[in-house]
Amino acid sequence: MLVLILLLGIFCIYTPEVLPVRWGANHAPQIMFFYFGLGLLFFALKKYKYTFVSFACCAALCVFLKENTHGQQMQYAAPTNQPEVKVAHFYVNNFEPDIDYTLDYLLNLDVDVLSIQGLDPEFSFLLEEYLSEAYPHQVLLPSLSFDGIAVLSKHHFVADTFYHEMMPNILGEVNVQGVEKFYFVASHTVPTLTTVDYERTQAHLNTIVSNCSNLDAPLVTFGDYHLVSWSPEIQLFRQSVDLNDSRIGFMPSFIDGKVNFWDVPQDHIFYSSHFKCTSFSVLSGDSSPHMGITGTFELLEEGQTLTDASLYHPNVAQ
């Protein structure tokens, strides 16, 4: 019994290349809470050896998730008067069944850059027709398969498209409210359903790294990577480009503060250390609990770093 309890936690942290185990490790936060409840149960039953092991596994998973998601950042930085960038990312499969509702929802978003993935030709036509006034600068690359992609912006941007296995990625350069040479990369990887899919996703992320590694300027990447924040592929990707995770929790949290306990966060917005993240949340509709995600990023003042306490507690002197 003790061995089985230990193995579950070990496999979440040191995940073997076995699909059922990898899928289970996607739910590491839920397993962490399961360990906590199990520890309380064993304590009530006075099985103290099992209690200790359960709480130890819970603590190990807590440390693992903290170090492999938001790291040092425990809350969002306080907003100031520095130039800021607002972005939002959506996947068409998560949209509301009511197309008019979805288009109005997108139209009313107050963001600088809007990313949409899983784009088909029909929806591409609707976007171009309905959002051209609010977002006059657009790159639309629809597809009959799942890999269609689009980026819409309120501001003029220069776009370059690069491919991995015929899947498009959009690299853009845009000036937003004084943010000089702000770059973004919109990407969409294959769903990770098989071991080969994981390998293809890792190769795709490596392609993104090769196109971003020489960018000495503020950078934001976003997309449905079909990987959780604590997966080894995402960890390697972030380390290779020196990116930070916008999501500071283990599970998707919404604008109203609610947390979806069962949802697995596989869409992400990562940002370079030129920025600080002042907000991040999941966007939901009437019937779709997870339509997309949005984040706000401010440029750091000269000499500031993301570890400065004054970013998160304005009353603390830098």
Side-chain angles (χ1 to χ4, degrees):
M1 179 74 169
L2 282 176
V3 174
L4 291 177
I5 295 174
L6 281 169
L7 282 178
L8 180 60
I10 291 172
F11 284 163
C12 286
I13 298 174
Y14 302 101
T15 309
E17 298 295 328
V18 180
L19 281 182
V21 179
R22 292 220 63 173
W23 294 334
N26 288 342
H27 298 275
Q30 291 85 351
I31 294 173
M32 178 186 67
F33 286 113
F34 166 75
Y35 273 127
F36 182 74
L38 196 63
L40 293 177
L41 175 62
F42 284 137
F43 182 78
L45 297 175
K46 297 183 178 181
K47 295 183 178 292
Y48 300 119
K49 183 189 300 184
Y50 292 93
T51 300
F52 175 80
V53 171
S54 298
F55 282 154
C57 290
C58 177
L61 280 176
C62 184
V63 172
F64 167 75
L65 289 169
K66 177 186 178 298
E67 294 301 320
N68 289 276
T69 51
H70 51 277
Q72 300 293 327
Q73 186 177 343
M74 298 298 293
Q75 67 183 67
Y76 296 114
T80 60
N81 294 322
Q82 286 292 100
E84 70 175 15
V85 173
K86 295 181 179 180
V87 301
H89 166 74
F90 294 88
Y91 186 30
V92 169
N93 285 1
N94 298 331
F95 278 154
E96 290 283 315
D98 186 341
I99 298 299
D100 291 333
Y101 174 94
T102 297
L103 291 172
D104 286 336
Y105 191 100
L106 297 176
L107 183 63
N108 293 326
L109 281 176
D110 183 22
V111 297
D112 297 297
V113 179
L114 176 63
S115 164
I116 298 175
Q117 298 178 356
L119 185 68
D120 59 42
E122 180 180 0
F123 200 79
S124 175
F125 173 78
L126 293 174
L127 284 179
E128 188 173 11
E129 182 180 43
Y130 202 79
L131 300 183
S132 59
E133 185 174 347
Y135 297 92
H137 308 283
Q138 304 179 354
V139 173
L140 305 170
L141 302 174
S143 172
L144 293 176
S145 60
F146 69 91
D147 57 354
I149 189 171
V151 171
L152 300 87
S153 173
K154 291 182 178 179
H155 315 274
H156 173 74
F157 66 95
V158 179
D160 181 25
T161 304
F162 62 93
Y163 290 82
H164 177 82
E165 294 184 355
M166 303 304 295
M167 297 184 66
N169 306 261
I170 299 176
L171 170 61
E173 178 187 343
V174 59
N175 288 341
V176 177
Q177 300 173 355
V179 182
E180 186 177 357
K181 280 194 173 180
F182 154 57
Y183 287 96
F184 65 81
V185 178
S187 305
H188 181 62
T189 64
V190 296
T192 47
L193 303 177
T194 67
T195 301
V196 174
D197 291 335
Y198 278 98
E199 295 172 353
R200 292 176 62 193
T201 298
Q202 180 65 78
H204 193 156
L205 293 176
N206 291 341
T207 301
I208 300 172
V209 168
S210 66
N211 283 271
C212 294
S213 55
N214 294 324
L215 298 178
D216 185 19
L219 171 67
V220 176
T221 70
F222 34 78
D224 270 70
Y225 299 115
H226 300 287
L227 295 167
V228 292
S229 303
W230 51 92
S231 68
E233 292 86 358
I234 290 295
Q235 291 302 301
L236 179 60
F237 171 64
R238 285 180 50 206
Q239 292 169 9
S240 299
V241 196
D242 191 21
L243 297 174
N244 304 283
D245 196 343
S246 304
R247 185 182 278 111
I248 63 173
F250 305 143
M251 293 169 288
S253 57
F254 296 86
I255 290 178
D256 58 6
K258 296 180 181 178
V259 173
N260 190 333
F261 185 77
W262 300 111
D263 198 5
V264 175
Q266 294 189 324
D267 50 353
H268 306 284
I269 303 176
F270 301 128
Y271 62 99
S272 68
S273 296
H274 301 82
F275 289 115
K276 61 181 179 182
C277 181
T278 58
S279 70
F280 177 90
S281 57
V282 172
L283 301 171
S284 57
D286 285 342
S287 60
S288 300
H290 188 142
M291 287 181 67
I293 52 178
T294 184
T296 304
F297 308 91
E298 282 191 7
L299 273 182
L300 289 176
E301 296 179 15
E302 187 175 354
Q304 281 188 325
T305 66
L306 287 174
T307 57
D308 289 338
S310 58
L311 293 180
Y312 311 100
H313 306 281
N315 59 329
V316 176
Q318 184 173 339

